[in-house]
């Protein structure tokens, strides 16, 4: 500073700035003038020096431009305020935080420009009727709509500000946040939702016909416009109602208020000026609000300053000073603006006629200098401010702190004495913590954390969003390194969903079934949704547990077994739900390729059952593995009974009390096959036989070992000299060259081979027997897994080999008395007019029929009435009547031992004599012969059989191997 007066004024200003860091001090309108008119120029220069010093200190400040001299004084002052609404005018080197924003002042300017546009040819006449008043208001609203309620002709095409308008970002962010947290959508879906909603809102905001932008009532300037009480004197009306959640009511209030403001703008004068000043001060107050989302008030540690060097009446400076004082006297909020003006000595009197504050020089006489005089004058101004705002003192400018600068203090100082103070400028903690770099780092960390969470959840679960996942299924590494989706399908999980489960649902591998796994899952899901929506409290839930993952060797297509069994479950569901009061809900569960992950699946089923009391039991588990007993025991812990259609393990009913199976056990099957073997034995001569079995080392397959054990025991009992050979399966193909070579090249080749393998291994076996055993006649005996083989569709049979196998069920005998096939034609997808019968290639292996009957049996136990007699038979399709009610899993388990259902697809399902920890009687079975006919075609002939529920033993007479070929 070049003078002592400047140093002292600067020191006082810095004192106010220092207080501003931690509080909201009263900011006066500091008016500087000299004691002598000759020093007016020096006072103006002092204000310029103050401005330059504050700019160097990093204060945000502005100097209004020159106003047109030909206009009236309030109009000139309003012009100054409008120019102050340009954010660039407040830029200063070193200023902290971002630019100021003036949305309220811009709204007032928009209304003013709309009025000027409408009154271009002259002001409209005063409305004399309500219709004329409404028409005038409508014209104003239409003009504002053209301007999009923004000042400036080119604002319509400024897409950027509208795109990042809080009124747009807020609803878009809320929708996207709810989508992420509640709907568990993918991260890219959430981001696409945000961008899409923003783009849609922007497009609607600019091109949708209407009188206002979308979400106008949510803008902060609109809320201020509706709630400020300063505008009430304009019309004398009561405040408009403000309801942020009522857009139409708020819109009507905004329209009415805009019309009032337009009237005041047309009137001009002090009302127009004070409205501009009010908007400016409110914007500045909002720009320094400490309790804001960005803590901008804590980052801007210096108040905004407005400098008016050489203020006079002609330039509008006096009107601006008075308007600032008037607005502050009327409104209740403090604003941070510090206004510093210099006034010529002979024009001071024009500010007011009877200013009674003590001159500074009188206060200085009681102190040691000007600085103390300024401080005392400031204290007296604060003490007298309340009285100065009273109506009786209307001739004064109460917020003005007038300082008369003595001549001796305005003299130029020597160079070495030019110094001034500065308030501490250490950045606030909020500036360091709540800042863009910290936000950017935090944003990167959050995005990285969300990305890692999304990647982690997506790598562990089949259905996952950014923060949540469906824990009822999980991804596990399967054969060939592909991911398998294992668990129970709830929510939107589909095991036929390509890319997530390793299952491409383009048909079922190597099968004649006309439906796809995806069709079945979609129909089951739709049926479940209908039940959950309309039959709450009147349904039970069963879980189908089977192999629903496709093997990479089959192109990822679903396996035959899983698709066929699930079809039977769905068929039972749809029939039950259309004929019974208690409904059936079905949840598919996947145990992985060949049920290799059935223990994990059982854990997911048990966990889900704890949350859902409607789950009453499990259907399926049709593959005998080393983990089968542990799986059954896990379900015992959950209190869930299991009704299996195809699992022929003999040990499970003896060791698992919850196990109920429709398939004949392996030991009993081997005994029935012994009836045929006995006819192949030549009495009195030694005869050789062999057991050819898969090598199960390193695998969970227990079915092969059981078949090999019981088959070998049966051969020895029938008098054969028996040895056992094991073969390997490499990359899904059985390698039988060495084993068949040993059998065929020995001195006494075996006449009977008990094949303890899978249906897919029969082709390689027949090829090796054809090439290595020549014309030797060999009988191959095997278990029920050969029911899945389709010999008529390409499975080879050697010319001199006769194949005998057990079938899962005898479907022929009960076919005429069951509704199963009629219902299949009606409800199963993909049949397309095909006939459904026990000879249909997609039904004859019994997989679908057995799972259908197992579902019917479990439902029967889960829907019994407590008063119902336990021995009462219930025919398929019979109405259960109003006495039926859903049962819990405990009573379902108990009721299973009372179930007896006639006319099922496989016969009569009877658990009434099933002992706990023991074998039951009455399993269905069929013994089938497969060989080439004279014409070279493969012929399958059922030698004998009995339906489920029939306990009569089979005999050699019933199962005569000399029976002529009668194709099934």
């Amino acid at each position: 500073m070049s003078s002592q007066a400047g140093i002292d004024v600067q020191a006082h200003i810095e004192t106010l700035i220092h207080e501003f860091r931690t509080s909201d001090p009263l900011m006066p309108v500091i008016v500087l003038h000299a004691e002598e008119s000759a020093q007016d120029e020096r006072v103006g220069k002092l204000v310029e020096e103050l401005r330059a010093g504050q700019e160097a200190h990093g204060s945000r400040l502005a100097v209004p431009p020159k106003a047109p001299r030909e206009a009236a004084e309030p109009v000139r002052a309003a012009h100054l305020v409008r120019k102050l609404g340009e954010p660039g005018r407040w830029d200063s080197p070193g200023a902290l935080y971002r630019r100021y924003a003036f949305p309220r002042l811009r709204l007032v300017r928009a209304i003013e420009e709309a009025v000027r546009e409408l009154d271009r040819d002259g002001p409209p006449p005063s409305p004399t009727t309500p219709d004329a008043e409404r028409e005038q208001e409508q014209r104003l609203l239409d003009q504002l709509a053209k301007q999009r309620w923004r000042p400036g002709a080119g604002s319509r095409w400024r897409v950027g500000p509208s795109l990042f308008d809080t009124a747009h970002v807020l609803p878009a962010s809320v929708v996207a946040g709810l989508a992420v947290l509640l709907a568990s959508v993918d991260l890219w879906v959430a981001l696409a939702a945000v961008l899409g909603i923003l783009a849609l809102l922007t497009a609607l905001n600019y091109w949708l016909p209407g009188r206002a932008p979308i979400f106008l009532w949510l803008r902060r300037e609109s809320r201020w416009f509706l709630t400020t009480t300063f505008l009430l004197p304009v019309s004398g009306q009561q405040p408009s109602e403000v309801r942020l959640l009522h857009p139409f009511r708020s819109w009507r209030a905004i329209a009415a208020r805009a019309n009032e403001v337009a009237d005041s703008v047309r009137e001009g004068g002090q009302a127009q000026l004070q409205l501009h000043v009010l908007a400016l001060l409110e914007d500045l107050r909002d720009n320094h609000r400490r309790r804001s989302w960005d803590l901008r008030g804590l980052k801007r540690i210096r108040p905004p300053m407005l400098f008016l060097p050489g203020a006079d009446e002609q330039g509008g400076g006096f009107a601006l000073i008075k308007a600032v004082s008037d607005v502050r006297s009327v409104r209740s909020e403090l604003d941070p603006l510090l206004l510093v003006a210099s006034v010529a000595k002979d024009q001071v009197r024009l500010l007011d006629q009877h200013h009674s504050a003590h001159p500074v020089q009188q206060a200085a006489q009681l102190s040691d200098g000007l600085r103390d005089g300024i401080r005392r004058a400031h204290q007296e101004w604060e003490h007298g401010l309340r009285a100065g705002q009273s109506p009786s003192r209307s001739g004064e400018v109460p917020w003005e702190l007038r300082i008369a600068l003595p001549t001796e203090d305005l003299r130029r100082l020597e160079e070495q004495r030019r110094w001034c103070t500065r308030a501490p400028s250490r950045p606030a903690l909020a500036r360091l913590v709540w800042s863009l770099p910290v936000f950017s780092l935090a944003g990167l960390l959050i995005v990285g954390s969300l990305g890692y969470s999304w990647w982690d959840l997506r790598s562990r679960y089949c259905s996952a969003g950014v923060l949540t996942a469906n824990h009822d299924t999980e991804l596990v590494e399967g054969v060939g390194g592909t991911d398998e989706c294992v668990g129970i399908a709830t929510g939107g999980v589909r095991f036929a969903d390509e890319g997530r489960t390793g299952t491409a649902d383009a048909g079922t591998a190597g099968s004649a079934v006309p439906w796809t796994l995806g069709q079945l899952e979609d129909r089951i899901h739709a049926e479940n949704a209908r039940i959950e929506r309309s039959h709450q409290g009147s349904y039970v839930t069963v879980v189908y547990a089977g192999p629903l993952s496709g093997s990479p060797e089959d192109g990822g297509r679903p396996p035959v077994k899983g698709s066929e069994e699930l079809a039977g479950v769905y068929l039972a569901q749809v029939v039950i739900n259309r004929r019974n009061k208690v409904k059936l809900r079905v949840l598919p569960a996947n145990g992985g390729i060949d049920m290799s992950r059935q223990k994990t699946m059982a854990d997911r089923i048990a966990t889900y059952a704890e949350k859902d009391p409607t789950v009453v039991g499990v259907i399926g588990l049709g593959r005998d593995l080393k983990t089968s007993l542990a799986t059954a025991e896990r379900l015992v812990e959950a209190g869930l009974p299991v009704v299996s259609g195809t699992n022929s393990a003999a040990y499970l009913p003896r060791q698992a009390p919850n196990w109920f199976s429709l398939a004949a056990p392996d030991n009993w099957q081997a005994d029935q096959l012994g009836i045929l073997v006995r006819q192949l034995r030549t009495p009195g001569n030694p005869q050789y036989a062999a057991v050819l079995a898969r090598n199960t080392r390193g695998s969970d397959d227990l079915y092969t070992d059981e078949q090999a054990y019981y088959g070998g025991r049966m051969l020895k009992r029938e008098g054969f000299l028996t040895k056992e050979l094991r073969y390997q399966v490499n990359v899904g193909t059985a390698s039988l060259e060495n084993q068949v070579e040993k059998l065929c090249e020995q001195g006494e080749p075996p006449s009977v081979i008990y094949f303890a393998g899978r249906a897919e291994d029969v082709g390689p076996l027949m090829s090796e027997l054809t090439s290595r055993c020549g014309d030797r006649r060999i009988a191959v005996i095997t278990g029920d897994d050969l029911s899945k083989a389709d010999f008529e569709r390409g499975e080879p049979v050697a010319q001199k080999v006769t194949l005998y196998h057990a079938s899962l069920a005898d479907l022929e005998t009960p076919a005429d008395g069951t509704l199963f096939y009629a219902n299949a034609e009606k409800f199963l997808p993909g049949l397309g007019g095909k006939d459904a019968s026990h000879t249909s290639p997609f039904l004859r292996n019994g997989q679908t029929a057995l799972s259908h009957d197992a579902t019917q049996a479990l439902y029967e136990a889960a829907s019994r009435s407590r008063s119902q007699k336990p021995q009462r038979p219930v025919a398929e399709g019979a109405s259960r009547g109003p006495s039926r009610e859903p049962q819990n899993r405990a009573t379902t388990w108990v009721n299973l031992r009372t179930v007896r259902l006639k006319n099922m697809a496989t016969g009569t399902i009877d658990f009434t004599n099933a002992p706990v920890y023991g074998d039951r009687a009455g399993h269905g079975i069929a013994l089938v012969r497969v060989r080439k006919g004279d014409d070279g075609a493969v012929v399958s002939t059922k030698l004998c059989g009995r339906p489920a529920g029939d306990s009569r033993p089979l005999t050699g007479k019933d199962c005569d191997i000399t029976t002529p070929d009668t194709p099934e």
Side-chain angles (χ1 to χ4, degrees):
M1 304 299 296
S2 62
S3 64
Q4 185 61 45
I7 293 174
D8 292 340
V9 174
Q10 167 70 11
H12 187 70
I13 291 176
E14 292 295 326
T15 301
L16 293 176
I17 293 175
H18 180 68
E19 295 177 5
F20 183 77
R21 290 177 60 90
T22 56
S23 62
D24 296 313
L26 297 175
M27 291 297 179
V29 178
I30 300 177
V31 177
L32 304 175
H33 68 90
E35 290 181 347
E36 300 176 1
S37 298
Q39 304 296 326
D40 288 344
E41 185 178 352
R42 288 195 174 185
V43 175
K45 183 179 180 182
L46 184 147
V47 173
E48 291 288 353
E49 290 180 349
L50 289 173
R51 182 199 62 77
Q54 289 301 320
E55 188 176 45
H57 290 176
S59 297
R60 290 187 180 273
L61 51 89
V63 178
K66 298 297 182 182
R69 293 281 177 170
E70 62 275 6
E73 183 181 9
V75 176
R76 291 196 297 271
H79 175 78
L80 298 180
V81 178
R82 283 196 298 272
K83 292 298 182 181
L84 291 174
E86 299 173 359
R89 288 192 175 274
W90 296 85
D91 288 343
S92 300
L96 298 179
Y97 206 45
R98 58 187 178 182
R99 278 184 168 185
Y100 283 155
F102 297 94
R104 297 161 185 83
L105 186 56
R106 285 169 56 83
L107 177 59
V108 174
R109 286 177 55 194
I111 297 175
E112 185 180 33
E113 290 182 9
V115 171
R116 189 164 54 247
E117 182 68 25
L118 293 175
D119 299 349
R120 187 180 299 275
D121 299 329
S126 300
T128 57
T129 63
D131 291 339
E133 184 176 356
R134 284 192 293 271
E135 181 181 357
Q136 182 173 317
E137 179 181 342
Q138 183 61 48
R139 291 181 64 241
L140 174 66
L141 296 178
D142 291 342
Q143 179 59 35
L144 285 171
K146 293 179 181 179
Q147 301 174 195
R148 310 308 298 173
W149 289 69
R150 301 286 192 187
S155 63
R156 177 180 177 87
W157 307 108
R158 295 175 186 172
V159 179
S162 178
L163 185 62
F164 296 101
D165 191 339
T166 304
H168 289 174
V169 175
L170 180 62
S173 301
V174 169
V175 170
L178 291 176
V180 171
L181 296 176
L182 301 181
S184 301
V185 299
D186 293 336
L187 180 61
W188 67 270
V189 176
L191 294 176
V194 173
L195 296 178
I197 292 174
L198 286 177
L200 176 63
L201 292 178
T202 302
L204 293 177
N205 189 53
Y206 281 95
W207 288 287
L208 184 69
R211 293 181 295 175
I214 299 176
F215 303 118
L216 174 65
W217 84 100
L218 292 180
R219 291 178 177 173
R220 52 184 173 175
E221 62 268 30
S222 300
R223 296 197 299 269
W224 164 80
F225 199 50
L226 291 174
T227 56
T228 180
T229 58
F230 188 86
L231 293 176
L232 291 179
V234 173
S235 63
Q237 296 181 358
Q238 296 298 319
S240 301
E241 285 191 84
V242 179
R243 296 291 186 271
L244 296 182
L245 298 180
H246 294 78
F248 296 105
R249 186 184 306 173
S250 300
W251 160 245
R252 289 194 296 268
I254 292 174
R257 184 58 61 88
N259 193 53
E260 294 176 2
V261 172
D263 292 340
S264 70
V265 169
R266 288 191 179 98
E267 293 175 5
Q270 289 296 325
Q272 179 184 6
L273 173 59
Q274 289 179 2
L275 181 60
H276 282 76
V277 171
L278 170 68
L280 173 66
L281 296 180
E282 182 63 26
D283 281 331
L284 290 174
R285 190 172 74 93
D286 187 52
N287 280 305
H288 283 269
R289 193 186 306 275
R290 290 185 174 91
R291 296 181 179 179
S292 57
W293 71 269
D294 57 350
L295 302 181
R296 50 186 175 268
L298 297 177
K299 299 173 185 178
R300 294 167 175 154
I301 58 178
R302 302 179 72 88
M305 304 185 68
L306 178 62
F307 290 91
L308 298 174
D312 56 12
E313 192 172 20
Q314 289 74 23
F318 282 7
L320 177 57
I321 292 173
K322 292 178 181 180
V324 171
S325 180
D326 291 341
V327 170
R328 285 178 171 177
S329 297
V330 173
R331 66 202 297 266
S332 59
E333 297 90 353
L334 296 176
D335 63 80
L337 178 64
L338 180 58
L339 194 153
V340 181
S342 65
V343 181
K345 175 67 171 62
D346 58 354
Q347 292 192 5
V348 173
R349 60 182 177 81
L350 299 178
L351 280 174
D352 55 66
Q353 297 296 325
H354 28 268
H355 182 65
S356 60
H358 296 290
V360 173
Q361 57 267 29
Q362 295 180 6
Q365 294 174 359
L366 303 177
S367 62
D368 296 332
L370 178 62
R371 183 174 303 187
D372 288 339
I374 295 174
R375 180 176 54 81
R376 287 178 178 273
H378 187 97
Q379 292 175 350
E380 291 180 6
W381 168 77
E382 284 187 340
H383 293 160
L385 185 61
R386 182 180 301 174
Q389 290 178 319
S390 61
S392 62
R393 307 290 295 276
S394 59
E396 298 183 0
V397 184
W399 283 82
E400 172 199 358
L401 175 60
R402 189 177 303 173
I403 302 175
L405 301 177
T407 301
E408 58 272 16
D409 290 324
L410 287 172
R411 292 173 183 170
R412 189 175 184 86
L413 297 173
E414 298 178 5
E415 187 70 26
Q416 61 270 20
R417 295 185 61 190
R418 295 181 182 181
W419 56 273
C420 60
T421 60
R422 180 183 181 184
S425 58
R426 179 176 55 84
L429 181 63
R431 171 69 178 168
L432 301 176
V433 176
W434 203 262
S435 61
L436 182 60
V438 175
F439 270 7
S440 300
L441 179 59
L444 289 175
L445 292 176
I446 292 174
V447 171
S449 299
L450 292 177
Y452 175 77
S453 173
W454 173 80
W455 175 83
D456 181 60
L457 292 176
R458 291 278 293 178
S459 63
R460 293 166 54 196
Y461 300 103
C462 308
S463 176
V466 177
L467 298 175
T468 59
N470 184 331
H471 291 262
D472 296 327
T473 51
E474 62 182 273
L475 287 173
V476 298
E477 185 176 355
V479 179
T482 59
D483 287 337
E484 292 183 72
C485 184
V486 174
I488 180 171
T490 59
V493 174
R494 300 287 191 280
F495 295 117
D497 184 13
E498 184 175 3
R500 293 298 299 149
T501 65
T503 297
D505 195 27
T508 306
S511 171
V513 295
W515 55 79
T516 66
L517 179 60
Q519 289 177 323
L520 295 175
E521 287 191 289
D522 289 342
R523 293 198 176 195
I524 289 173
H525 180 77
E527 188 72 13
N528 291 343
R530 184 182 69 84
I531 294 170
E532 294 167 359
R533 182 175 58 252
S534 305
H535 300 280
Q536 283 289 338
S538 61
Y539 68 82
V540 292
T541 302
V542 300
V543 179
Y544 165 73
L548 298 177
S549 289
S551 173
E553 300 162 7
D554 295 323
R557 292 183 302 235
V560 178
K561 184 178 181 64
S563 295
E564 291 182 336
E565 288 186 337
L566 189 59
V569 176
Y570 165 70
L571 181 58
Q573 179 192 25
V574 71
V575 170
I576 287 169
N577 289 341
R578 278 156 177 75
R579 299 178 180 176
N580 296 279
K581 179 179 178 181
V582 179
K583 306 301 179 181
L584 179 64
R585 176 169 166 257
V586 174
L587 294 178
N590 183 24
I593 298 175
D594 292 334
M595 297 294 285
S596 59
R597 298 284 184 168
Q598 64 175 352
K599 183 62 170 61
T600 301
M601 175 191 66
D603 290 334
R604 299 279 73 78
I605 294 174
T607 301
Y608 177 79
E610 294 176 0
K611 302 179 294 184
D612 188 352
T614 67
V615 177
V616 295
V618 177
I619 299 162
L621 297 177
R623 195 172 179 94
D624 185 16
L625 303 174
K626 295 176 183 178
T627 56
S628 293
L629 183 58
T631 300
E633 291 174 346
R634 180 67 182 93
L635 297 176
V636 168
E637 296 174 3
L640 294 171
V642 179
V643 181
S644 177
T646 60
N647 195 322
S648 58
Y651 64 92
L652 286 174
R654 301 172 183 173
Q655 301 183 45
N658 64 331
W659 192 269
F660 299 82
S661 180
L662 304 187
D666 293 328
N667 57 341
W668 188 75
Q669 282 188 37
D671 292 343
Q672 308 314 303
L673 289 170
I675 299 174
L676 307 181
V677 171
R678 193 173 304 125
Q679 300 177 54
L680 297 171
R681 174 82 168 87
T682 302
N685 296 324
Q687 226 168 326
Y688 297 92
V691 176
L692 189 58
R694 269 191 176 193
N695 190 337
T696 59
R697 183 178 302 174
S699 73
D700 289 335
D701 184 13
L702 193 56
Y703 171 83
T704 294
D705 293 338
E706 292 247 312
Q707 285 284 319
Y709 171 75
Y710 291 119
R713 189 181 66 175
M714 177 269 295
L715 290 174
K716 292 177 182 178
R717 186 174 60 243
E718 297 300 331
F720 284 86
L721 301 175
T722 307
K723 64 178 179 178
E724 181 176 318
L725 289 85
R726 294 277 179 163
Y727 64 90
Q728 298 288 340
V729 177
N730 300 318
V731 197
T733 303
S735 178
L736 293 156
E737 298 89 344
N738 296 333
Q739 289 75 14
V740 175
E741 184 177 0
K742 289 180 181 179
L743 293 176
C744 294
E745 292 183 358
Q746 61 185 0
E748 294 290 339
S751 58
V752 175
I753 298 176
Y754 192 92
F755 184 64
R758 296 289 182 177
E760 54 267 28
D761 300 341
V762 172
L765 173 64
M766 293 299 173
S767 297
E768 293 298 327
L769 289 176
T770 300
S771 61
R772 300 183 184 276
C773 290
D775 294 336
R776 295 178 182 175
R777 294 189 176 275
I778 299 176
V780 176
I781 313 295
T782 187
D784 59 24
D785 198 67
L786 266 291
S787 299
K788 299 183 298 184
D790 193 350
F791 295 100
E792 295 182 4
R793 294 173 58 87
E795 288 290 352
V797 177
Q799 185 68 41
K800 299 294 183 177
V801 173
T802 303
L803 178 66
Y804 301 92
H805 70 86
S807 183
L808 287 168
D810 180 10
L811 301 181
E812 180 182 6
T813 304
D816 294 335
T818 182
L819 297 175
F820 170 76
Y821 301 102
N823 291 330
E825 289 184 4
K826 185 176 181 181
F827 296 114
L828 283 183
L831 265 62
K834 298 178 181 178
D835 292 332
S837 67
H838 69 281
T839 60
S840 299
F842 48 87
L843 293 177
R844 65 186 177 193
N845 60 24
Q847 303 269 350
T848 302
L850 285 168
S851 61
H852 167 272
D853 290 359
T855 306
Q856 289 278 2
L858 186 55
Y859 171 80
E860 171 69 15
S863 63
R864 281 180 178 271
S865 172
R866 293 184 177 90
S867 61
Q868 185 175 344
K869 295 180 181 179
Q871 297 295 331
R872 178 183 176 184
V874 181
E876 179 190 17
S879 176
R880 309 305 186 205
S883 62
R884 293 278 172 165
E885 59 184 25
Q887 305 293 296
N888 58 37
R889 64 194 61 154
T891 55
T892 298
W893 189 341
V894 173
N895 289 341
L896 269 170
R897 301 192 184 278
T898 66
V899 169
R900 188 169 187 269
L901 297 176
K902 294 183 178 180
N903 300 324
M904 293 290 103
T906 60
T908 299
I909 307 304
D910 188 358
F911 293 146
T912 56
N913 295 318
V916 181
Y917 300 111
D919 298 329
R920 74 177 182 92
H923 295 288
I925 193 173
L927 301 183
V928 181
R929 181 183 64 203
V930 182
R931 63 184 178 184
K932 279 190 175 181
D934 296 336
D935 57 356
V938 178
V939 181
S940 296
T941 303
K942 188 186 83 169
L943 298 178
C944 60
R946 71 179 198 190
D950 188 350
S951 299
R952 292 174 298 177
L954 296 176
T955 64
K957 182 179 179 180
D958 299 326
C959 307
D960 187 0
I961 63 174
T962 62
T963 301
D965 289 335
T966 55
E968 292 185 296

